[in-house]
Each structure stands twice: as C-alpha cells, then as structure tokens.
Amino acid sequence: MSAVQPPTARPIDFRDATLGTTVAVLRLVEPHLLADAMHKMLGGMPDFFSGEPAILDFAELAGEPERIDWAGLLSLMRRFQLQPVGVRNLAPELAAGARKAGLAVLDGIALGERGAKVPAAETPPQRPAAAPVPAPAPAAPPAAPVRAGTMIVERPLRSGQQVYARGADLVLLAGMSNGAEVIADGSIHCYGPLRGRAIAGAQGDTTARILSTNFGPEIVSIAGIYKTFENGIPAALAGKPAHVRLTGGDREHRLALEPLQLD
Amino acid sequence: MTRVVVITSGKGGVGKTTTSAAFASGLALRGFKTCVIDFDVGLRNLDLIMGCERRVVYDFVNVINGEAKLTQALIKDKHCENLFVLPASQTRDKDALTEEGVEAVIKELEHMGFDYVVCDSPAGIERGAVLALTFADEAIVTTNPEVSSVRDSDRILGILQSKSRRAAEGREPVKEHLLVTRYSPKRVDDGEMLSYKDVQELLRVPLIGVIPESESVLHASNQGTPAIHLKGADVADAYTDVVARFLGEERPLRYVNYEKPGLIKRLFGGK
Ligand SMILES: Nc1ncnc2c1ncn2[C@@H]1O[C@H](COP(=O)(O)OP(=O)(O)OP(=O)(O)O)[C@@H](O)[C@H]1O
Ligand SMILES: [Mg+2]
C-alpha cells in the first residue's frame, strides 16, 4: 500500500447508486404472525434474500398499532437474510422507536422501485392462505422482466423457490417443480410441467388464466378462487396441456379446468 | 483451466462421499490431476473411504486459517498417481470454513495446475452445502430413487441456480448432471422404488449415470478403497461409465434392468 495519495484522491466520495433494495410492505407488525407468513413463503429457502438491504413500508398496515416490537421485527427479518435499513410511511408517533432501533426514517425519498403499487383499498390482494405478507422482492434469482407486462423465467423453478410477477404476466419456459410457488398479478403460462403452486390474478384480476403444457399443480388459484388436488389431478388433464380460468360471472365465480388443444 | 465439480444432494446418506471418491479416482485414472476436497467439517469420512485417514495431519481448516500450507495438507492417494485428498477436520465447528478461505484454496489449486477439483458436499441446504457449491462449474446431483431424495435434490438445484458464483456473477449457469445412486432394478420392478426415468422426469436434469445398489460398496469403504477400483464389480463399471460420460463419451446405461432369475436359478437357488 502506498502512503502517498495521488493529489486528486479524496478520502470520501459520494456516488449515485440504486441499491438492490427490497421493500417489505407490512400489513401486520406482530413478529410471530409475520414469521408464520414468511415461513410459508420462504420456508424452503431461508437465504432467498441473501443479505439484501430492506426498507420496511407501513403504508398498507391493517390497523394502527400502539407500539411495534422493533427488536423482534428486526431479528425476524435478519433470520430471512434481510437487512432492514429504514422505514417509511410510519405513523409519526412510532418513528422515534424506529430511529432508536437504528432505522432511518425515509419518507419522501424516491427509490426507483420496479412494478406499480396497487393501492390497498381498491384491490386488496387475495390469496388462498390469506396471510399478511411482506411483498417479495420482484427480482427473484432466475427471473428477468423483459418488458412491462411480462416476466420470463428461463430456468426450471425448483422446490422452495418463489417468483412474483408484480403487475405482470408470468411465462415459465422450463416448468416448475413441486414445492415451488409462482404468483402473478396477470396470467401464468407454463411451458413444461406445472407442478407447484400457481397463483394468478393475485391482485384480483378475474380474467387472469393459467396455461400449462404439462398439468400437475399442487394448487391453482385465480383471483383468490383456488383448488387443491389432494386426491390427484383429473386423468384427462394430468400431465397434459391444460387451461384454467374463472367462469360463472361476477357472483358465482368458479374455476374451470379444461384440456388445451395444442396440436 | 481448473474445473470445479461439486457432488451434492441436499439429503444425507445418498452416496455423495462414495461418489466423490470414485469419481475423483476415475478422473485421475484417466490422467487428470485431481484434488478431492471434503467439505463435511465435523463429520469427515472422505479420508476413511479413500483409506488415508492415518496420514491426516493438517486439514482444510488449517489451510484456511493459515496454520498450514496447502501442500502440507494435501494427501497423495495411494491408488492413483494424480490424485490428492484435502481432508476435513473432525474437531472444528461448522463455521470454520469461510467463503474467502475456500476461494483462496481453489485459486491455489488452480495455480498448482490441477485439472479438476471435486468438492464432496455435506448434506443439507445450509452454509456448508452452499460453500461446497459456491465455486462449482459443474454439479453432480446425487439422488436416490425415492421421493424425499428427489425433493431435496430439487431444492439444491434451486440453490445452485441462486447461490453459485456463476449465478451471482451472471455467467453461464453451473452445468448440472443427475446421478441416480443405490439403484435396485428389482425393487423398481416390484414398484417399491422410483425408476431412474421417473427421477429424471421429475428433476429434468441430464442423466450422467445410474449406480446400482451393491454390498461391495460397504466392503470397499471399510477397506479404504474407492468403489471404482473394485475389479469386476457392477458399481465400478457404473462409476467408470459416469467418468467417461462426464468427459463427453457416449456409454449406454448398464445395470438398470431387472432380469428375472431363469428356471435353473429358481430351482437350485444360488446367486
Ligand atoms: N451404490 C451403493 N450401494 C450400496 N450402498 C451404498 C451405495 N452408495 C453408498 N452406499 C452406502 O450408503 C451409505 C452412505 O454413503 P455416503 O457416505 O457416500 O453418503 P453421503 O451422501 O456422503 O452421506 P452424508 O450425507 O452423511 O455425507 C454408506 O454406508 C455407503 O456405504
Ligand atoms: Mg458424505
């Protein structure tokens, strides 16, 4: 190491950077309830987030908590390899606690997030498990958004992996395994086996569909209307091209599972 | 260029260490300078299967901690000229391995002119298993023909996709191979086991071989002889085929079909 600094080198520099930051949208603050939900989402991959910095967003909180167990919340996030660095949309009377816990209060700072946020009051996400969950990072490992409206996953999705196509359709080019989960606000198109949990229309879009060339899911759901297959998949569809959509008009939505003609 | 190959599985006891020893030996028999590293800190047994446990003085962790030089810790195999074993430590805790340490050791092996580094992964999907696959160029996913093993292999494939350096740096993904081990054609025939075709259909990874279930594996490991050296044994043939396929040669699958015993055998018994 040289002791002589080149004349232009400053001891500190500041650069613009878009961090690979995850925003965790909390709808509840009780660590034990969140732990349960996160475990369901990420149980198989405790290190899904690989140490990403996270911002806790309280905009969609179900109620007004009197206090927040910051220590519990932070240790829960860290257990899932998220590093909370700040909070936003937190009620002013709770902000002091966040600061004390070492979190920055980031209201009014634009983050350049990907994907449009849907206001909670208009179309609350409907999921079969009805679990309050932090929004997963849009950038799951093997996925790359090609253009607004479609996310394409090129590699097989494995047990324990989860992909969320926020505000988009999802195309799986190499199928998915049992124990994997895909969620799309739009439709899901799966080339290859569809074997895990497939949740389309996650924000309530009843026109979303699920299409697969090799049908064998554990669960399918469209706009919160779901079907499980504990007793097996109908023989006419199992391992074959199939198509899932909602029928029955606004009141009486039901899932229709039909063979798909590929010829 | 050194190629790093991880032998991994997720599930425990499926034959990773047996495979690591046989595969590394097979590469060395084909003339490649090969090092096999035991990543199973605290549970070392690669050195037992390789029959070099009495010669272990320094181990992988000593090298990482700078307590020994790599050349001091490498043990030359007694069967193959080109093969070296880097044993694990029995006494250390699991956190003794660090990513920087592992990287430095692999870099040094590269400088020493090794063609292949074979990493024997511990079971599980935690730190140790992740470290073993972090630097892999290729992975041999060792799977027994049963549902729980298939599921764990699937998990480890996901981790390979997300945690390997190749994935992190956006390079060409780790090349995946499926190895089905402890395969019993009779039990498949009786419907007690998944067939290798089922396993491949579920995992959708190219098949590099099927290793039959064989009592001789246990004998070989008791003697400290990697299974590939067992003259005339089906496991040895099967592992030799695996190495050949890995090197790009075509070999038909052997020992995957159950032949019902003929009349004479049924009448007079015998093996
Ligand atoms: N082809 C085979 N036929 C019969 N037994 C086998 C075969 N392969 C491995 N075994 C036996 O299975 C047991 C586990 O093998 P091995 O130690 O290689 O597995 P492993 O995956 O390395 O286990 P761990 O996860 O504990 O590291 C050993 O007793 C071994 O002798
Ligand atoms: Mg082992």
Side-chain angles (χ1 to χ4, degrees):
Chain A
M1 226 183 280
S2 151
V4 185
Q5 296 286 330
T8 56
R10 275 189 299 264
I12 184 165
D13 260 324
F14 296 96
R15 304 211 168 116
D16 268 343
T18 310
L19 284 175
T21 310
T22 297
V23 178
V25 182
L26 303 184
R27 307 208 167 89
L28 283 177
V29 295
E30 290 81 0
H32 64 282
L33 297 177
L34 291 168
D36 195 41
M38 288 177 79
H39 191 79
K40 276 199 198 110
M41 288 173 70
L42 301 163
M45 4 180 11
D47 38 24
F48 182 80
F49 290 109
S50 59
E52 276 165 51
I55 290 163
L56 309 182
D57 188 330
F58 297 85
E60 297 182 14
L61 224 45
E64 282 274 290
E66 279 180 10
R67 52 176 295 278
I68 292 179
D69 172 6
W70 292 106
L73 207 52
L74 295 191
S75 94
L76 170 67
M77 295 290 155
R78 292 201 189 101
R79 241 191 299 143
F80 285 89
Q81 308 281 326
L82 277 171
Q83 299 191 50
V85 293
V87 298
R88 65 179 188 189
N89 299 317
L90 185 63
E93 58 276 18
L94 294 168
R99 283 204 190 85
K100 234 187 222 156
L103 296 166
V105 177
L106 296 170
D107 290 303
I109 296 177
L111 284 164
E113 279 162 66
R114 281 186 277 179
K117 268 254 197 73
V118 180
E122 283 171 34
T123 45
Q126 299 174 23
R127 299 200 46 205
V133 289
V146 278
R147 62 179 170 82
T150 309
M151 178 187 259
I152 296 192
V153 177
E154 310 237 359
R155 312 253 304 158
L157 208 63
R158 301 293 180 178
S159 176
Q161 290 189 311
Q162 189 201 48
V163 164
Y164 176 28
R166 176 182 292 196
D169 284 350
L170 179 63
V171 176
L172 301 174
L173 288 182
M176 65 186 289
S177 300
N178 288 106
E181 182 174 62
V182 293
I183 304 172
D185 289 344
S187 296
I188 295 168
H189 308 252
C190 179
Y191 300 88
L194 178 81
R195 286 189 181 128
R197 300 159 62 92
I199 292 154
Q203 302 273 5
D205 179 359
T206 53
T207 65
R209 299 185 180 203
I210 298 172
L211 301 123
S212 166
T213 58
N214 179 345
F215 193 72
E218 292 164 340
I219 183 170
V220 289
S221 165
I222 294 175
I225 314 240
Y226 67 93
K227 178 167 178 56
T228 56
F229 298 93
E230 286 100 359
N231 301 321
I233 306 214
L237 301 175
K240 305 203 173 83
H243 180 190
V244 185
R245 64 194 166 102
L246 282 182
T247 56
D250 271 354
R251 293 276 150 75
E252 306 258 312
H253 278 316
R254 43 184 295 276
L255 283 176
L257 278 59
E258 290 153 4
L260 188 67
Q261 194 59 43
L262 284 184
D263 66 34
Chain B
M1 264 306 272
T2 310
R3 294 288 285 178
V4 179
V5 186
V6 63
I7 314 294
T8 185
S9 70
K11 191 170 194 302
V14 298
K16 290 180 294 296
T17 302
T18 304
T19 298
S20 298
F23 180 71
S25 301
L27 289 171
L29 288 174
R30 297 286 294 255
F32 295 103
K33 187 170 176 186
T34 304
C35 177
V36 54
I37 305 182
D38 190 348
F39 275 79
D40 209 345
V41 173
L43 279 174
R44 59 153 208 198
N45 54 21
L46 178 69
D47 50 344
L48 294 172
I49 290 185
M50 303 286 299
C52 65
E53 73 279 8
R54 290 199 212 104
R55 288 187 286 147
V56 175
V57 180
Y58 296 112
D59 59 55
F60 195 12
V61 174
N62 290 128
V63 177
I64 284 181
N65 291 348
E67 295 147 5
K69 290 207 193 85
L70 179 56
T71 46
Q72 289 177 296
L74 286 177
I75 302 173
K76 200 176 156 312
D77 182 56
K78 60 184 182 190
H79 302 280
C80 303
E81 195 52 37
N82 295 321
L83 181 58
F84 295 82
V85 182
L86 184 53
S89 158
Q90 213 160 24
T91 53
R92 313 285 184 141
D93 69 283
K94 286 192 190 282
D95 292 336
L97 295 182
T98 61
E99 191 168 318
E100 304 74 47
V102 173
E103 183 168 22
V105 167
I106 288 177
K107 282 245 167 72
E108 197 174 343
L109 290 168
E110 203 166 327
H111 285 304
M112 289 166 73
F114 277 91
D115 297 302
Y116 289 103
V117 174
V118 176
C119 304
D120 178 17
S121 173
I125 54 173
E126 289 90 35
R127 205 180 126 77
V130 172
L131 272 178
L133 62 76
T134 298
F135 299 96
D137 300 303
E138 306 198 30
I140 295 184
V141 179
T142 310
T143 308
N144 289 165
E146 44 165 86
V147 172
S148 64
S149 176
V150 170
R151 176 65 70 96
D152 284 2
S153 291
D154 199 62
R155 290 225 157 126
I156 210 81
L157 283 160
I159 291 171
L160 213 48
Q161 269 176 38
S162 55
K163 295 280 153 179
S164 60
R165 269 290 164 90
R166 281 178 170 269
E169 293 173 358
R171 287 185 282 145
E172 195 181 314
V174 176
K175 187 168 178 195
E176 300 160 350
H177 308 274
L178 170 64
L179 180 68
V180 178
T181 53
R182 310 202 61 168
Y183 196 72
S184 166
K186 175 166 190 315
R187 294 190 57 197
V188 173
D189 205 59
D190 294 344
E192 293 169 17
M193 250 187 195
L194 296 175
S195 76
Y196 71 88
K197 287 183 186 140
D198 294 337
V199 176
Q200 201 200 347
E201 218 270 309
L202 286 165
L203 289 174
R204 291 162 291 138
V205 169
L207 185 71
I208 197 169
V210 178
I211 308 297
E213 170 82 17
S214 160
E215 283 173 21
S216 49
V217 170
L218 193 57
H219 293 298
S221 54
N222 285 340
Q223 288 166 18
T225 306
I228 201 166
H229 295 302
L230 300 172
K231 288 265 149 4
D234 51 3
V235 272
D237 292 346
Y239 274 121
T240 305
D241 288 349
V242 168
V243 173
R245 290 187 200 107
F246 182 82
L247 296 172
E249 296 162 23
E250 298 235 349
R251 296 277 169 107
L253 284 177
R254 290 194 264 182
Y255 314 114
V256 291
N257 295 316
Y258 176 57
E259 277 153 40
K260 292 215 166 56
L263 180 65
I264 309 254
K265 231 183 195 169
R266 266 187 280 146
L267 285 177
F268 300 105
K271 280 210 167 175

